[in-house]
Amino acid sequence: YSNTGSTHSYYNPSQGSMGNVCIGTNAGYSIDSGAWNTITGHYAGFSTLADENCFYGKHCGGDNVTGLENAFFGTLSGQNTGADGAENNYNTFVGGICAQNFNSGTYNLFLGYQAQNNRYMPDPTAYYNNLTNAAAIGANTIVPLSNQIVLGNDTQYVGIGLSADTAYTSGNNGPQNRL
């Protein structure tokens, strides 16, 4: 543990700017101007230069260079997001390998193991980038366009308003249709 100033707490004492907390091997390694980031994990936030991000997990947010106010949680979550300085602000990614190769976009929510991960996309070479206000919820779920919400993938059923349904809660039926 090393404290490089009154407002800094760093595992790696070579870091420097106001209010950052970086814990883990090379976590927040490149920070020299960004402020108020909380970065925890091996190589998490490695390239980050921006402000007010929260990255928790190994390689999480590793290539985020200029993205502001993002919250990434889980190993490899948002690993390549913001590579080459692409715009990526105000995103929330939660789950292991969630949005690993998602490069750019704003106001997005991806929840679940490998949600918005390009290897599950119809065209693995397309990263479905530049999304705005999109949400992919569930393991291996992909949202292809801005202003859309996708619940589950093509192997999952989605139930809405079933919390008091006795057939559903007894385990006999559950959701019968895909949306």
Side-chain angles (χ1 to χ4, degrees):
Y1 175 82
S2 176
N3 188 342
T4 59
S6 62
T7 60
H8 306 300
S9 296
Y10 289 94
Y11 174 79
N12 184 341
S14 66
Q15 309 310 308
S17 74
M18 192 160 77
N20 293 302
V21 176
C22 301
I23 301 170
T25 305
N26 290 321
Y29 180 82
S30 300
I31 293 176
D32 62 4
S33 59
W36 311 114
N37 294 289
T38 303
I39 302 172
T40 302
H42 178 76
Y43 282 85
F46 182 84
S47 300
T48 299
L49 301 174
D51 299 333
E52 300 180 17
N53 292 292
C54 294
F55 301 142
Y56 295 94
K58 182 176 78 172
H59 293 280
C60 183
D63 287 334
N64 178 69
V65 177
T66 60
L68 302 169
E69 297 184 39
N70 294 295
F72 301 164
F73 299 89
T75 297
L76 302 173
S77 176
Q79 179 186 14
N80 298 312
T81 299
D84 302 319
E87 182 177 351
N88 64 306
N89 302 313
Y90 320 112
N91 295 299
T92 301
F93 305 158
V94 179
I97 315 175
C98 179
Q100 180 183 14
N101 292 313
F102 183 78
N103 190 33
S104 61
T106 57
Y107 308 111
N108 297 298
L109 171 66
F110 305 143
L111 301 174
Y113 179 74
Q114 294 191 6
Q116 204 68 16
N117 187 320
N118 73 317
R119 70 183 246 205
Y120 290 100
M121 295 179 185
D123 177 3
T125 61
Y127 296 146
Y128 294 86
N129 288 315
N130 300 314
L131 297 180
T132 300
N133 199 37
I137 301 172
N140 306 316
T141 300
I142 301 299
V143 60
L145 299 170
S146 293
N147 300 307
Q148 290 187 346
I149 297 172
V150 175
L151 299 174
N153 60 46
D154 61 356
T155 65
Q156 297 168 324
Y157 292 94
V158 177
I160 297 174
L162 296 174
S163 63
D165 185 329
T166 58
Y168 176 70
T169 56
S170 67
N172 295 329
N173 291 314
Q176 298 299 307
N177 298 304
R178 293 185 179 144
L179 295 178

